[in-house]
Amino acid sequence: MSARPLVLVVSPGDETYRGYCLEQVAAAYDVVLLTGAEPSWEKPFIVDHAVVDLTDPAALLAGGRALAERHDIAGVVTWDEWHLVPTARLARALGLSSPSVEVMRACRNKATARTLFARHGVPSAASMKARTLLEAGLATMTLGYPAVIKPAAFAGSIGVIRVDRPEELSAAFAFASAGASRSREDTGVLVEEYLDGPEVSVECVTHRSVTTAVAVTRKHLGPAPYFDETGHTVDATDPLLAQVAPAAAAAVKALGITDGVQHVEMRLVGGRPRLIEVNARIGGDMIGHLVRLAIGIDLPKVAADLACGRGPDLTATRSGAAGIRMLYPDASGTLTERHINQPFAAHTPWLRQVQWIREIGDQLALPPEGDLFTARAGFYIVTGRNTTEVTERLDTAADEITVATRGDR
């Protein structure tokens, strides 16, 4: 029998984007898995598992209880946005440390979060719900243009679009509604004030209601009117961290979060933070991995520590920078070419990873027909001493990578 504490992980995600999370937790804990499919890549990191329909809250709860009957579980954790609420419910049912279900629901619903931000004086975007195109039009008369139309409870920038003129509203509302219809929690649409300024996220750790901002992530977005994220950079010495940390902590407090890891998104409008949303989990797009490369803090392990009621170790062991850039085609179509200059890759130690996620012959669809899941061909990660060096290296590597599509007729 292992002497290590045992953690139940709900929905490990895919190996490409979330494999590092499971690996880091398994380095410190024994892991049992609640998953929707038989484990494959996860097998080296787990001691047991249960396969259930993760979209069925009752089945998820029953599967968790069955694992708890076989093991002495110290904590329950997920980094999957779609399972934050049922994971909180499972942890509470097992008598383990967890944010409340109500708090997780507030994080998942952007309209609820906006209400709480306003109540607690946290600057964010003015926002109105719209059930119909007519209501969306009335909302823009109040909020003005440009405006942002988005699903009330989704993620990954899916269904989020900027509207600059009234004649664009009908198509934008249909685009946002299509994204909202994919939510299992709230299929409503929000019309919001457009926040004009650079977008960042603050990677936070909250323990016993005290929030520590451990890193700021500078985001890079694709062309308007969409909000697809094309890359991120993390710098251990970024001076922006001190400026945005108080706003991030205030947003976490407004939502009632007492413990956990948070990915807090905001924009800087006139140099001042304005909140977009609080995600009560580790950031996607490998952001947690960038934090580790730049600062040396393992956010997945921290999340497991907190789930087990342990105080997290937030000691930075590195002082550098890291960045990721997503690989998109110039146009939608069939992927015909994807490669990197192999001599360059072999002799470039700062090029830490090149990851293809689509195969030759696959269809890549950019917005508005597609989204980040259908558009990306892959990504690459670099490290450096600071943001300037990382940005230069991202640009250098881009010249050595080819992604090409053929339009289908």
Side-chain angles (χ1 to χ4, degrees), residues 180-334:
S181 68
R182 296 163 62 179
S183 174
R184 297 194 299 267
E185 295 161 301
D186 187 336
T187 57
V189 168
L190 300 180
V191 180
E192 295 192 343
E193 167 193 12
Y194 174 65
L195 301 178
D196 190 6
E199 184 170 336
V200 302
S201 65
V202 188
E203 317 315 323
C204 295
V205 174
T206 302
H207 178 49
R208 295 179 179 173
S209 300
V210 176
T211 297
T212 302
V214 300
V216 60
T217 304
R218 298 195 183 231
K219 296 179 172 294
H220 305 275
L221 303 180
Y226 310 105
F227 291 80
D228 289 336
E229 295 174 351
T230 59
H232 313 275
T233 55
V234 175
D235 188 332
T237 59
D238 194 327
L240 188 59
L241 181 60
Q243 180 183 342
V244 298
V252 171
K253 183 177 181 180
L255 287 167
I257 299 172
T258 57
D259 290 276
V261 174
Q262 299 86 39
H263 171 69
V264 183
E265 297 180 351
M266 61 180 68
R267 283 198 168 205
L268 302 176
V269 181
R272 296 177 180 273
R274 299 277 296 279
L275 263 293
I276 298 175
E277 63 190 41
V278 174
N279 300 280
R281 39 89 181 161
I282 299 163
D285 281 354
M286 305 293 286
I287 287 174
H289 185 53
L290 298 184
V291 169
R292 185 188 200 190
L293 290 173
I295 302 172
I297 296 174
D298 292 351
L299 289 178
K301 179 185 178 296
V302 167
D305 290 340
L306 293 167
C308 294
R310 294 179 164 188
D313 181 0
L314 301 181
T315 304
T317 59
R318 298 176 185 171
S319 183
I324 185 172
R325 187 168 292 178
M326 308 304 166
L327 293 167
Y328 292 98
D330 292 332
S332 298
T334 302

Side-chain angles (χ1 to χ4, degrees), residues 129-150:
K129 264 205 161 185
R131 292 166 296 180
T132 64
L133 177 59
L134 176 61
E135 289 184 355
L138 294 172
T140 60
M141 292 176 65
T142 300
L143 299 173
Y145 288 96
V148 176
I149 317 293
K150 63 169 62 170

Side-chain angles (χ1 to χ4, degrees), residues 325 344 350 380 391-401:
R325 187 168 292 178
F344 169 79
W350 48 258
Y380 61 99
T391 301
E392 290 172 351
R393 289 176 171 180
L394 286 168
D395 291 341
T396 298
D399 293 335
E400 307 293 336
I401 299 174

